[in-house]
Amino acid sequence: MPTFELNLSDDVYAEFQQLAEQEFVSEEQAAEDLIASGIEAYNVSVVDDEPRDEMLDGAENNMFDTAEDPGSLEDDRL
């Protein structure tokens, strides 16, 4: 298993020790689980090669859902 060294501030290390004592069996397990969950949360995969504006997509979808007779065609008849 690879190992590495990490320098933490005293405050962060104290929080880590407290969390490790309360939630994990050992500091090693705490470090492994917290790093793995941090990597998972940070890892973002791009699903669409051409991203679109979500607000624009929503507006396009709602534009046709809410309009009953957008041009008032019935009123234009003679």
Side-chain angles (χ1 to χ4, degrees):
M1 179 183 291
T3 61
F4 65 94
E5 186 175 315
L6 179 65
N7 294 321
L8 300 173
S9 69
D10 292 337
D11 293 340
V12 172
Y13 184 64
E15 287 182 46
F16 170 76
Q17 282 182 316
Q18 183 179 9
L19 183 63
E21 288 175 7
Q22 293 174 355
E23 301 291 330
F24 297 94
V25 175
S26 66
E27 285 189 5
E28 290 81 16
Q29 181 198 14
E32 183 176 345
D33 288 353
L34 291 171
I35 291 170
S37 62
I39 290 171
E40 183 179 318
Y42 186 78
N43 188 15
V44 177
S45 60
V46 177
V47 176
D48 190 2
D49 292 339
E50 295 180 25
R52 291 186 45 127
D53 186 2
E54 291 179 16
M55 184 174 172
L56 181 61
D57 287 342
E60 288 173 353
N61 292 337
N62 289 336
M63 185 168 50
F64 296 107
D65 291 341
T66 59
E68 291 179 18
D69 187 9
S72 296
L73 295 176
E74 294 297 321
D75 296 337
D76 291 341
R77 294 181 190 206
L78 295 174

